[in-house]
Amino acid sequence: QKEVEQDPGPLSVPEGAIVSLNCTYSNSAFQYFMWYRQYSRKGPELLMYTYSSGNKEDGRFTAQVDKSSKYISLFIRDSQPSDSATYLCAMSGSGANSKLTFGKGITLSVRP
Amino acid sequence: NAGVMQNPRHLVRRRGQEARLRCSPMKGHSHVYWYRQLPEEGLKFMVYLQKENIIDESGMPKERFSAEFPKEGPSILRIQQVVRGDSAAYFCASSPTKGRNTEAFFGQGTRLTVV
């Protein structure tokens, strides 16, 4: 079993739709949970991060972490064509070795 | 304030040649991470360095790969005797504080093609 599993894509939605992106993980030591957005041929850009369980909202984006189920989600409200990109979940522990473990990523396309 | 600078952006090497990838962290950042992104795969951790020290190289292939982050100058990821399987995008990230991934910024990557 991989440490981080991300729902396979690609995903295509109409403009204005609510998008739900999900990841599961197996390592109980993960404490930080991140979502990155990566445009084609660019580097990953941190969208949001959550420490431990709970929800976090930033504009049209909401990140949820359920540590009991080892499940994290990113919701995008009122999706826009500019949200079209690859979304990567990533996780790390809180110790001195803070490398990130990434999911494979899912490519989202928002149709005008 | 320039971001994380990686160069070259694209690199083509023939099998057996050496590849050198450079990463200049953001100003004030002394922690550098290298990740590799293979086609259809997520980013995989390779190595974590501080100035003049390798902190964690658990993701580095045992042979042909090495990394350094000297006191002066950029961090270098070196791949000797490249093979087709080394073709990938290599990203570095830098952060100002140990263990604070939430403050890490990624560069635009170097796309290595081995022919």
Side-chain angles (χ1 to χ4, degrees), chain A residues 31-82:
Chain A
Q31 294 288 336
Y32 286 92
F33 303 91
M34 288 94 159
W35 286 96
Y36 285 84
R37 178 173 61 195
Q38 186 176 23
Y39 292 111
S40 181
R41 316 298 275 181
K42 301 290 186 183
E45 169 196 8
L46 179 65
L47 271 178
M48 299 181 70
Y49 78 91
T50 307
Y51 175 71
S52 195
S53 281
N55 295 355
K56 190 170 186 178
E57 189 172 319
D58 183 1
R60 297 185 293 109
F61 298 87
T62 300
Q64 287 186 352
V65 175
D66 182 348
K67 291 192 73 178
S68 62
S69 303
K70 295 190 175 67
Y71 189 89
I72 72 169
S73 300
L74 178 70
F75 298 95
I76 307 173
R77 292 184 299 280
D78 187 24
S79 55
Q80 303 294 311
S82 58

Side-chain angles (χ1 to χ4, degrees), chain B residues 99-112:
Chain B
R100 295 293 294 271
N101 278 306
T102 54
E103 297 174 350
F105 292 87
F106 279 82
Q108 301 284 42
T110 293
R111 279 155 185 84
L112 172 67

Side-chain angles (χ1 to χ4, degrees), chain A residues 16-37:
Chain A
I18 296 174
V19 177
S20 172
L21 307 175
N22 309 294
C23 289
T24 58
Y25 64 96
S26 57
N27 189 342
S28 300
F30 289 145
Q31 294 288 336
Y32 286 92
F33 303 91
M34 288 94 159
W35 286 96
Y36 285 84
R37 178 173 61 195

Side-chain angles (χ1 to χ4, degrees), chain B residues 34-74:
Chain B
W34 285 93
Y35 292 83
R36 176 166 63 174
Q37 188 172 37
L38 291 164
E40 308 302 320
E41 295 286 332
L43 282 85
K44 304 290 186 189
F45 168 79
M46 300 183 74
V47 63
Y48 165 35
L49 310 105
Q50 293 177 32
K51 288 278 187 181
E52 301 184 279
N53 285 303
I54 296 175
I55 306 302
D56 180 359
E57 56 182 347
S58 59
M60 288 280 269
K62 293 288 184 281
E63 297 176 348
R64 303 185 299 107
F65 285 72
S66 62
E68 62 176 7
F69 189 15
K71 187 176 180 182
E72 301 291 337

Side-chain angles (χ1 to χ4, degrees), chain B residues 14-19 64 79-84 86:
Chain B
R14 295 188 185 280
R15 280 178 294 172
Q17 291 185 319
E18 179 179 288
R64 303 185 299 107
I79 311 172
Q80 294 178 292
Q81 298 175 316
V82 296
V83 301
R84 290 247 170 92
D86 297 332

